[in-house]
Every structure is written in structure tokens, then in C-alpha cells.
Amino acid sequence: MMMIQKFTMGAPIATDAVVGEAAATDFARFPYAYRVENGQFIFSFTMAPDEIVYGLGEAPRGINKRGWVYQSYCSDDPFHTETKQSLYGAHNFLIHGERGIFIDFPARIRWDIGYTRADKAEITLYGTDFDIYLIEEKTPRDIVRAFRRLIGQSYIPPFWAFGYQQCRWSYHNADAVRSVIAQYDAADIPLDCVYLDIDYMERYKNFTVDEQAFPDFDRFVAEVRAQDIHLIPIIDAGVKQEDGYAVYEEGKEKGYYVKTADGSDFEGGVWPGIVGFPDFLRPEVRAWFGRQYRFLTDKGIEGFWNDMNEPAIFYSREGLRKALAAAADLQGQNLDLGKFFGLKDAFAGLSNSQEDYARMVHEIDGKPVSHQRVHNLYGACMTRAAGEYFEQAFGKEKILLFSRASIIGSHRCGGIWFGDNHSWWSHILLCLRMLPSVNMCGFLYCGADLGGFNENATADLVLRFLALGVFTPLMRNHSALGTRDQECYRFENTSDFRDVIQVRYRLIPYLYRTFRHAAENNDMIFRPLSFDYPDDVQARECETQLMLGEECMIAPVYEQNAGGRTVYLPEDMTFFRLSGSSVTAQPLSKGLHDVRVALNEVPLFIKKGKSVPLCPPASRTALLETDKTEWITG
Ligand code: MIG
């Protein structure tokens, strides 16, 4: 194994991403062409025509990142179109040739991977204080393993977090939750978790419960737990500014919120109205915020999802004041187009504005640091606040935790979900393509909102999305306020849904073992086909199938009205069609095939001579007979 080289410029801000060993190397030996320009560090490399560039974790577009420009800048953006450059995570890891590059730097990075010039990658760091780690190994998988050793072991959730989970914005009261459980049970569809979105809180205040909607919450949690269901409440980053709200007041009194240059608290508006943003970058603030989760763990809660931590800001007091003043100035005027659109933009631009981010000031080692220098650390430090508290208070693998924003490093404390996708067929593939990419970066417990979050889903879309979700560690159906109901029992063909979700439960022993193995060995669960078949052109270009563990390949159906798909087999495999109660096997030889997959079936390809255990389905993970396995063999 080659030593990982570490190149440092300036005085980097500690991100705690790296826990392993690397050899500090003189910058004179940095192997890339670089320049420092206007306070930015820019380096580049040329790409051979057939070279694949992997990485960047949670990002738009393909597994092969070539041909686009990306930005590491945690963004609350609910339109995951291919024209976007950033999503919620900032995962600064790239592989090209026999080298992995990890940029340990918490500000914005621009990755031009053949966008300006097809054969050239140019990477721009918005600052000159950073560490870059270079990892040289023979294969991409070895590069990933070496990198993952460097950044430390991935988060492992409790076993029950591998069950099927139902979310909605929102189940507004206890009876709504009861009804979800009852209807899943009545339809005999397995279920392990039901989520509480923001409306369970009292006026969107973290660590409160609306007594009207959820009277006697402790008893309610116990009632649901007695049915082997876990309730998973959401926690938002901002803390509501409100007199008499103890959490807010304590944070205020101790000076724990992100400030502005004049030392006053930065005031931004989110769901609760004006909030304070805890300065999670400070260890004492993390410890304080982490302890607040006790309010809910004391009531029997064992899992959380952390949201709005990019951080998402609908408006700031200052921004709103300016926009309103601009509008007042125009009052009574006959607006020309320039002024009209300027006015429109003044309001449209209020959310997640660069001006606001630039106004925010953190404190690191007692010194003020502009938010823009550490933007990508914010949500990750919120995950750390919760994760570190959970581990210390309850031990490992006890509490489910995942977050929307993340950076490499927070993979040790929690998982991630892929945020506000759409009920679009194309988002099945977007999810598939992110899986190996985030695995490279250490995020193993992850998944997309199955069925799609925004807009209305159809039964066939939800089923095909779920059939991919059968394999994602986080298997959660979620949808937005105002969209069509998306729970499995809402659709007429409930038995199709039962079949698909039962397949998940039948596979849990295998999926859990594969997950643990990947976590404990710093390996990937999902790999691009090109990792395993580097000399096979069709495997190298495949963006719609993935290798899973050592045994399998997955290839979901991702188009509407398609009764199957074309699949490429890089070697002989057996094609299994799995449902709740049936398994059909069809040996296929290396090459292209048209495979037929009914809506109630999950396609799975097993390599020749490899076996996968199936246990009988159960309505809960707690009831799974994991020792009663039959094996299916390729
Ligand atoms: O501004 O809590 O990504 O899962 O349902 C939207 C409401 C805030 C965004 C999350 C989504 C959640 C929603 N939240």
C-alpha cells in the first residue's frame, strides 16, 4: 500500500474529516499544474478520451462526472434537474486514473470536469487554505478503500432502520399516524417506521411537541413501539426566536447563535419565523444542541432526521428590510421592465442568498470566521452534534440519524437522504447514480424519497421506485405537502406493493450483512460496473445498473409503461424475479438481454456460483426469522 500524500497550503480550518495517516508532503511535489489567482487555488489535469472520472458523491448527472461543471456548496434546492451544479452535500472526492483526490476544504469548490474543454478538468477552490490528499492505488476500488480508511468508519444504524419506512409532510396528529400503521397492517404490507415532519412541533420549535395534536406523547410513543413501529421526528437547524422558549433563551444567553459582523445574532426566517442558527462549528454548541435531543429520547424516540441544515434560510431580517424598502421606493411609479424584474428578483432572491451567507459569522477558537469560508461544514456539524451525543449517551448503533446537508467526515455520525426530489421517472436513475458516488465518500446509510417528494406520483412510478429502494439502506417513501397521497395502501393494486416491500424483508439478512461488511471494511455496497469490469466497454459506459456486494447486480426498470428493460450482463448471471411469495430464475449469458419485469416484481441478477439468502417476509424487522433462510444461487 502506498502512503497517502498530504499537501497543505496556508492555514486550513480544521474539518475533522481525516482520522487516518497521511504523509505531509512538500507542495513543490504537488503533481498537478496549479495557480493562485484572486485568492483562489486552481489546479487542472488532462483526461484521456476514454478516461472515467468518478466521485463528488451527492451531485447531479452521471456516475462518470465528465462533461459538466459541479460545485461543492451545500444547497437547499428542490429542483434536481441535470442543469444544476450542487445538491445538499459537499463531497470533495474525485477519482481519475490511478489517483484519488480528496480536498479537505469547507468553502466552495468548483469542479469543471470537461465542461469548458472536453479533455480538461479544472478545479477551483474559493480560498487558499486547504489540505489536499492524493491516494494512489491500482484500481478505483482500492483507491476508495484507502480513502475510506483515511476518513474513518461509516455510520451504522440500528437493525430496524433497514425496515420499510413511511413519511409524509405531514402526519398532523396521533390519529393520522395510527391510521398509517393500521392501514399498512390491514393491507399486510411490512412497515418499521413512521415519520413526524415539522407539524408535530409546537409552532415549529425544535424539541417541543404540539400537545393538542399529540396529547400524552410519551404514551403515544410507547403505544406505537408496542406494535414494533418507530416514530422518527424531524429536527430543523434553526431555533425559533420566542420569549419563554427555554431552548432559544438558553442559546441566546450563552451566545450560541451565528452572529453578524457587529456581534448581534444573525436573524433568518425559516418555518418558525425568525430563528437563531446554532453555531454548530463550536464544540460547546454541539454538546449543548446534542443534549437537547434528550427531550425526545426521554420520551422513547430512537431516530431522527436533521433538515434545513445547509442552512436553508427563507429570508433574513436584513434582506427583507432591503427588499421592502426597494419596493416602497417604487410605489406609485410607472415601472419599466428593468425595474419590474429588479423588484421581482429582489424578493425571489431572498431565499438562501449569498449576501446572507456572507453576513453570517461563526466563531472558531474564539475568533470570528465568515460563514462563506466554512459553509459546507454547517449541516455536517449539526449531524455531529446529534451523533456524538447519541453515541455517548446510548452507545453505537442505537439511534437512527440521517441528515440532508453533509460533508465528508459527517459520514461517521449519520446517514443522508437525497432531499427534495420529484415524482419523476428520471429521478429513479438519479438515485441509482448517486448510490456508488456517495459510497465512495463514506455515506453508506442513504436513500432517496421513494416515489418522489415533489409533485404527484402514479402507482407504477412508486412501485418502480420502491423496487430500486428495496436495495437502498434507507428505504423510505416520502412526499410533500399538497401532493397526492403516496402511501402504498392508497393505490388500488396494494398486493403489488406488498410483494415489492416483502422482497425487501426477505432480503434484509443479506442486505444487512452486505452493509455491515462494507462499513467494517471501508468498502462500497454499490459499485459502478466499470469498477468490476474495467476492460469491458459496455460495462464501463453503463449508467443504469450497479454491482451490489460481491454477489449481485441490480437493474431497475426506470421508464413508464415499460414491462421490462434492456440489461447488459458483463458475465453469465441468473436473472431472478422476486416477489413476496415467489422466485423465478432464468440463467442468462454474458451480453445484452431484454428482461421482463412485472410491477410486483423486483429484478436481481446473481453471478454464477454466488448465493444470496432469502428469509420469509415479516410485517416488522423485529419479527423476521433471519435464521430461516433459503438460498438462491446464480
Ligand atoms: O422547506 O419539513 O427535505 O423532506 O418534508 C421544506 C418539510 C422543509 C424539506 C425536507 C422535506 C421535508 C420538508 N422540508
Side-chain angles (χ1 to χ4, degrees), residues 130-149:
F130 59 82
D131 293 311
I132 294 182
Y133 295 82
L134 299 183
I135 302 148
E136 285 174 15
E137 297 286 344
K138 281 277 164 259
T139 68
R141 191 167 177 187
D142 284 337
I143 293 171
V144 168
R145 285 191 280 233
F147 172 55
R148 296 268 304 282
R149 275 195 296 278

Side-chain angles (χ1 to χ4, degrees), residues 32-67:
Y32 296 100
Y34 72 85
R35 59 187 197 274
V36 172
E37 220 173 73
N38 306 323
Q40 299 178 339
F41 177 81
I42 305 161
F43 71 104
S44 59
F45 55 88
T46 358
M47 299 175 286
D50 61 346
E51 194 177 327
I52 301 176
V53 176
Y54 301 102
L56 299 185
E58 188 182 10
R61 300 225 171 193
I63 298 171
N64 185 347
K65 305 316 289 184
R66 284 185 73 156

Side-chain angles (χ1 to χ4, degrees), residues 325-340 343:
D329 282 348
L330 299 177
Q331 185 85 283
Q333 283 189 41
N334 188 1
L335 299 191
D336 61 27
L337 278 188
K339 280 184 178 165
F340 170 73
L343 179 65

Side-chain angles (χ1 to χ4, degrees), residues 194-208:
V194 179
Y195 280 71
L196 299 180
D197 208 323
I198 43 176
D199 301 285
Y200 79 89
M201 294 183 245
E202 189 190 295
R203 293 190 296 286
Y204 306 123
K205 289 185 291 184
N206 283 328
F207 315 115
T208 68

Side-chain angles (χ1 to χ4, degrees), residues 59-60 68-72 81-87 110 115:
W68 192 240
V69 58
Y70 307 87
Q71 299 211 35
S72 293
T81 54
E82 63 187 67
T83 47
K84 290 298 162 71
Q85 301 184 350
S86 312
L87 294 172
R110 183 174 185 276
Y115 172 74

Side-chain angles (χ1 to χ4, degrees), residues 169 197-198 234 271 305 307-308 314 404 417 420 453 478:
W169 178 15
D197 208 323
I198 43 176
I234 195 170
W271 294 109
W305 49 314
D307 190 20
M308 307 299 271
F314 295 162
R404 202 169 68 174
W417 94 100
D420 300 347
F453 176 76
H478 183 30

Side-chain angles (χ1 to χ4, degrees), residues 100-403:
I101 305 173
F102 171 49
I103 306 181
D104 191 5
F105 177 67
R108 187 189 293 270
I109 302 177
R110 183 174 185 276
W111 312 76
D112 176 341
I113 316 289
Y115 172 74
T116 303
R117 260 186 54 187
D119 65 342
K120 193 174 172 195
E122 186 171 86
I123 300 162
T124 305
L125 283 67
Y126 286 56
T128 53
D129 301 287
F130 59 82
D131 293 311
I132 294 182
Y133 295 82
L134 299 183
I135 302 148
E136 285 174 15
E137 297 286 344
K138 281 277 164 259
T139 68
R141 191 167 177 187
D142 284 337
I143 293 171
V144 168
R145 285 191 280 233
F147 172 55
R148 296 268 304 282
R149 275 195 296 278
L150 183 73
I151 58 171
Q153 192 184 297
S154 300
Y155 165 79
I156 302 178
F159 179 73
W160 51 261
F162 289 81
Y164 174 70
Q165 317 187 9
Q166 183 62 57
C167 190
R168 169 135 196 120
W169 178 15
S170 282
Y171 298 124
H172 284 273
N173 52 49
D175 279 340
V177 173
R178 287 190 182 102
S179 154
V180 172
I181 300 167
Q183 298 201 65
Y184 266 96
D185 286 351
D188 192 24
I189 301 174
L191 179 72
D192 263 81
C193 301
V194 179
Y195 280 71
L196 299 180
D197 208 323
I198 43 176
D199 301 285
Y200 79 89
M201 294 183 245
E202 189 190 295
R203 293 190 296 286
Y204 306 123
K205 289 185 291 184
N206 283 328
F207 315 115
T208 68
V209 172
D210 181 337
E211 283 287 325
Q212 234 83 68
F214 293 90
D216 214 347
F217 191 67
D218 307 47
R219 278 238 322 259
F220 178 59
V221 176
E223 170 196 322
V224 166
R225 269 300 277 122
Q227 303 170 70
D228 284 317
I229 296 285
H230 290 87
L231 286 180
I232 317 292
I234 195 170
I235 301 292
D236 279 5
V239 175
K240 181 175 173 60
Q241 190 179 84
E242 185 181 284
D243 286 342
Y245 168 34
V247 180
Y248 174 75
E249 287 191 336
E250 189 185 349
K252 173 86 190 161
E253 190 189 300
K254 298 199 164 136
Y256 282 170
Y257 300 117
V258 172
K259 309 254 178 325
T260 61
D262 68 13
S264 63
D265 286 355
F266 172 84
E267 295 179 311
V270 203
W271 294 109
I274 297 292
V275 301
F277 289 98
D279 191 353
F280 296 119
L281 275 65
R282 294 165 59 187
E284 65 277 23
V285 177
R286 284 201 294 276
W288 167 72
F289 197 82
R291 281 196 304 275
Q292 307 306 315
Y293 285 80
R294 244 194 89 173
F295 173 79
L296 289 156
T297 56
D298 277 351
K299 299 184 184 311
I301 294 295
E302 296 168 296
F304 298 90
W305 49 314
N306 282 350
D307 190 20
M308 307 299 271
N309 50 8
E310 294 71 28
I313 305 173
F314 295 162
Y315 65 90
S316 67
R317 234 196 247 289
E318 179 62 11
L320 190 59
R321 192 189 59 72
K322 276 196 195 164
L324 289 169
D329 282 348
L330 299 177
Q331 185 85 283
Q333 283 189 41
N334 188 1
L335 299 191
D336 61 27
L337 278 188
K339 280 184 178 165
F340 170 73
F341 284 112
L343 179 65
K344 217 173 149 204
D345 290 349
F347 286 90
L350 281 176
S351 297
N352 304 324
S353 100
Q354 289 298 309
E355 267 182 42
D356 284 337
Y357 289 139
R359 265 207 287 273
M360 297 167 74
V361 179
H362 295 268
E363 185 187 310
I364 297 177
D365 299 329
K367 295 191 196 71
V369 174
S370 159
H371 177 79
Q372 288 291 34
R373 295 189 61 200
V374 290
H375 175 77
N376 293 333
L377 270 178
Y378 189 74
C381 285
M382 181 189 183
T383 305
R384 245 181 106 176
E388 288 176 353
Y389 170 69
F390 296 150
E391 191 166 326
Q392 160 232 311
F394 304 99
K396 286 182 187 295
E397 299 177 30
K398 289 288 187 290
I399 306 289
L400 170 60
L401 173 65
F402 59 92
S403 168

